[in-house]
Amino acid sequence: MHALTALFYALETQPEIPVATAQRILFLRAQAHPDLEALKDRLTCEQTWKPHASGLENQGIRHTREAEGKYDLILLLPDRQRESIMSDFAQAHELLAEGGTLVTALHNDWGAKRMEQQLAEVTGEVRTLSKNHSRVFWTTKTGPWKTETLSQWKANGAMQRILDGRFWSQPGLFNWDQIDEGSALLIEHLPHSLSGTVADLGSSWGFLSDHVLRKCPNIRSLDMYEADARALECARRNTGLIPVPVRPRILWKDVTQGVGNACYDSIVMNPPFHDGREANAMLGLKFITVAAQALRTSGHLWLVANKHLPYENLMKEAFEHQSTVAETRSFKILHGTHPTLVTRQVRKKPRR
């Protein structure tokens, strides 16, 4: 929220940013803010992260996953990953009209000063202010930017093959260019006897789902839930050509808000525990609760978590049987079966 607050402070206080006169405004990686209301008629918001997209919807702001056209003013609130930020700069350049202004807000801890310098090397001139532990910097497209550098930034941030070509991924995704150590531990302990309907909650680019499809021949279906839309095409490519009869459904969903009326025999997951910059164990607790609610009474939950995260008490409440299957210095594998009525009562139909 620091960078978001700083961004709108700059729009309010810096007259050289043409927020009042711009006919078309684009907000890349947009987040809800009260001041968007005044821009509504001129505004396009691009957002690939489902929780933020839902926040925009709740404010009545339309959004898209891929903006098109040219814009007089582009606002950018990047993620923290370096290649992703620089790719966002390249995208903004393509979408910015001649004479248009790009305004970027970034938290200091995410390399704001360095990213400002990188942009200045490409554009020639950048103006800046500091606010709320963040930097807001802006530049105008009045002369030629270094297009070769921008093209390289775009390529570096695009979907690409990783791990000797075995998988597709993209900078900005969780552990985008390597197999997460926790997920690698989980697949060592997942039984190949998983069967029936299966879900992968927080599937990212599809490593766990790839394993389930290849090693669990008795599954009838697989649903992959992921909040980051950038991962969806990667997951489709990574799982779509596996020579098995099951074709997974890949769903753009915020798991913390539930999975509707879906019901599963088994769920596997490596739940997140960071919300932006901050560690937030509540995310994992919400994932466990949603999993328990979505499992059949005989269902199984298999999850990996960092060893310090306090999930055991909820697992005891949510499942008749739960155990710690394995532990290393950094991770633990938890297994729960037979979800309890306490968590499943929300699935009952209301009385008429």
Side-chain angles (χ1 to χ4, degrees):
M1 291 297 291
H2 293 298
L4 180 64
T5 301
L7 174 63
F8 281 93
Y9 174 82
L11 297 184
E12 182 180 354
T13 62
Q14 303 302 307
E16 63 266 36
I17 299 175
V19 66
T21 59
Q23 296 299 304
R24 300 192 73 213
I25 301 172
L26 173 63
F27 192 177
L28 294 174
R29 307 209 181 277
Q31 296 184 34
H33 190 278
D35 289 354
L36 289 179
E37 190 68 29
L39 308 176
K40 220 173 186 180
D41 294 339
R42 300 176 285 149
L43 181 67
T44 298
C45 289
E46 180 184 286
Q47 181 54 260
T48 58
W49 182 245
K50 187 63 173 178
H52 291 329
S54 297
L56 291 167
E57 291 169 7
N58 293 339
Q59 194 180 341
I61 303 292
R62 291 177 297 175
H63 63 86
T64 179
R65 286 194 269 181
E66 188 172 358
E68 297 177 337
K70 294 290 184 180
Y71 298 86
D72 309 307
L73 175 63
I74 296 181
L75 315 177
L76 172 60
L77 201 65
D79 290 339
R80 67 183 302 168
Q81 208 274 340
R82 180 175 178 271
E83 286 85 0
S84 179
I85 295 171
M86 297 165 80
S87 179
D88 285 345
F89 289 156
Q91 180 192 10
H93 171 263
E94 292 181 350
L95 295 169
L96 194 61
E98 288 299 322
T101 300
L102 167 63
V103 186
T104 303
L106 193 61
H107 196 281
N108 291 336
D109 291 350
W110 290 11
K113 186 175 182 179
R114 178 59 180 154
M115 289 299 102
E116 178 188 333
Q117 293 170 343
Q118 293 275 8
L119 186 61
E121 290 174 6
V122 166
T123 65
E125 181 183 3
V126 170
R127 285 156 288 178
T128 186
L129 68 80
S130 295
K131 184 74 174 176
N132 292 87
H133 308 289
S134 303
R135 295 175 81 89
V136 182
F137 45 97
W138 60 97
T139 186
T140 303
K141 192 177 180 182
T142 54
W145 292 11
K146 294 182 179 178
T147 54
E148 288 187 8
T149 301
L150 289 165
S151 295
Q152 188 60 56
W153 289 357
K154 180 180 178 180
N156 290 345
M159 183 171 57
Q160 55 198 268
R161 289 189 179 275
I162 61 168
L163 301 173
D164 298 323
R166 181 181 172 192
F167 295 109
W168 288 91
S169 187
Q170 184 171 348
L173 301 181
F174 171 68
N175 269 38
W176 81 271
D177 61 348
Q178 58 186 322
I179 295 172
D180 173 67
E181 186 180 346
S183 294
L185 180 66
L186 178 56
I187 68 168
E188 290 180 13
H189 296 277
L190 272 181
H192 294 178
S193 59
L194 292 185
S195 61
T197 56
V198 181
D200 179 356
L201 303 188
S203 56
S204 188
W205 48 264
F207 174 72
L208 290 181
S209 289
D210 172 88
H211 175 83
V212 169
L213 288 168
R214 292 181 185 277
K215 300 298 183 181
C216 303
N218 295 321
I219 69 169
R220 294 197 311 273
S221 68
L222 174 63
D223 287 348
M224 301 169 65
Y225 292 86
E226 174 53 42
D228 194 332
R230 294 173 297 179
L232 304 183
E233 177 60 18
C234 299
R236 188 190 69 81
R237 294 190 184 194
N238 290 333
T239 60
L241 296 180
I242 299 172
V244 294
V246 172
R247 286 292 171 264
R249 288 198 310 161
I250 302 171
L251 304 164
W252 188 41
K253 291 279 190 179
D254 176 5
V255 169
T256 66
Q257 300 304 304
V259 295
N261 293 320
C263 201
Y264 299 102
D265 295 301
S266 293
I267 291 176
V268 300
M269 64 186 191
N270 181 354
F273 67 99
H274 280 89
D275 188 0
R277 297 174 57 249
E278 305 297 330
N280 183 3
M282 185 58 66
L283 286 173
L285 296 173
K286 288 180 178 179
F287 267 62
I288 292 170
T289 301
V290 168
Q293 292 170 349
L295 283 166
R296 292 189 170 88
T297 54
S298 59
H300 294 259
L301 170 63
W302 292 87
L303 73 96
V304 61
N306 285 55
K307 194 172 181 179
H308 69 279
L309 291 170
Y311 293 162
E312 284 79 359
N313 286 342
L314 178 58
M315 289 290 290
K316 291 175 183 177
E317 293 179 9
F319 294 92
E320 290 182 15
H321 307 288
Q322 68 85 34
S323 62
T324 300
V325 175
E327 282 187 314
T328 66
R329 196 165 74 175
S330 302
F331 297 97
K332 57 190 174 187
I333 306 298
L334 304 181
H335 175 225
T337 186
H338 296 86
T340 65
L341 292 175
V342 174
T343 55
R344 290 182 58 80
Q345 64 185 0
V346 298
R347 296 178 59 82
K348 293 180 180 178
K349 294 182 179 179
R351 293 181 179 178
R352 295 179 181 267

